[in-house]
Amino acid sequence: MSYIDIVPIGRIEETTLISLKHNLIKAFKIQTRIRNCPIDASAVYDPIRNQYNSSGLLVQLIKDIPSGTLKILGVTELDLFIPIFTFLFGEAQLNGPGALVSAHRLHNPFYGIPEDEGLFENRLLKESIHELGHAFGLIHCFNLRCVMNTSTYVEEIDQKSSNFCRACEQGILHWKNEHLTD
Ligand SMILES: [Zn+2]
Ligand SMILES: [Zn+2]
């Protein structure tokens, strides 16, 4: 059996993880499991920025990949950065094993608006599919509705759908044909 592994980094609501898992199974049609893995976020904390270095977390995430794991998605509430950006919704290795999403800026209260649990989970799903899409070899897509369209602001996440356009869907199928046998 081949899996996408969801790895929580820090505390994440159980219900959020379970709903994410079910929706990733629908999106990729690949078995998905929640797996715990020791990650030391304090090692990548930047006290000046009060943020966590995304690339440093990715390195830890892909250190010991269990057999059967196709891709690993780290999910965290921590605020992520890489040196050239103020913040990141996520990061992934193009065609590599690791992807990472931050829920930190996906909650309405971050923007001074009351929480909307459904909207939050939808944003997290879109960004998770987007980053995993990169891990499955997809680059950014110009189709504004496609989940592989890039999002700099949370409003842009809300404008796109959680689906792949036809071309991106073909890219996922192509990856499966190359890497999966059954
Ligand atoms: Zn992207
Ligand atoms: Zn697309």
Side-chain angles (χ1 to χ4, degrees):
M1 195 67 110
S2 304
Y3 293 94
I4 294 171
D5 290 356
I6 299 172
V7 173
I9 301 170
R11 223 194 93 71
I12 298 279
E13 289 286 344
E14 188 73 18
T15 51
T16 300
L17 289 173
I18 289 168
S19 128
L20 181 62
K21 176 181 129 166
H22 289 306
N23 286 311
L24 289 180
I25 294 171
K26 278 189 214 156
F28 290 97
K29 296 169 187 73
I30 291 174
Q31 276 310 307
T32 300
R33 61 186 172 188
I34 298 164
R35 180 167 63 82
N36 286 307
C37 161
I39 303 268
D40 178 16
S42 68
V44 302
Y45 177 65
D46 183 322
I48 292 163
R49 303 179 62 129
N50 190 26
Q51 287 177 308
Y52 295 80
N53 188 304
S54 175
S55 311
L57 280 182
L58 260 182
V59 168
Q60 292 190 42
L61 204 56
I62 59 164
K63 220 163 41 195
D64 297 301
I65 303 177
S67 68
T69 294
L70 296 173
K71 304 290 175 191
I72 301 168
L73 174 72
V75 182
T76 186
E77 288 283 354
L78 300 175
D79 196 17
L80 303 179
F81 80 97
I82 53 172
I84 58 163
F85 289 122
T86 323
F87 71 90
L88 289 177
F89 290 128
E91 186 186 354
Q93 302 167 302
L94 188 64
N95 233 327
L100 179 60
V101 284
S102 165
H104 192 82
R105 293 166 192 258
L106 302 181
H107 296 282
N108 270 356
F110 184 81
Y111 305 95
I113 307 167
E115 182 72 293
D116 178 335
E117 215 44 66
L119 183 61
F120 162 70
E121 288 194 356
N122 194 246
R123 288 169 176 167
L124 184 66
L125 175 65
K126 288 175 186 175
E127 287 313 283
S128 298
I129 295 174
H130 180 98
E131 296 307 336
L132 281 167
H134 286 315
F136 283 105
L138 299 180
I139 57 169
H140 285 149
C141 180
F142 291 109
N143 183 328
L144 293 172
R145 292 290 294 157
C146 176
V147 74
M148 291 313 293
N149 195 261
T150 184
S151 307
T152 310
Y153 302 104
V154 79
E155 292 83 359
E156 292 170 319
I157 302 176
D158 293 340
Q159 277 160 18
K160 67 186 178 184
S161 74
S162 57
N163 300 318
F164 294 112
C165 71
R166 274 187 65 130
C168 291
E169 185 77 60
Q170 285 303 313
I172 298 290
L173 287 176
H174 177 78
W175 189 95
K176 285 187 186 171
N177 288 337
E178 298 268 290
H179 296 87
L180 298 179
T181 45
D182 56 4

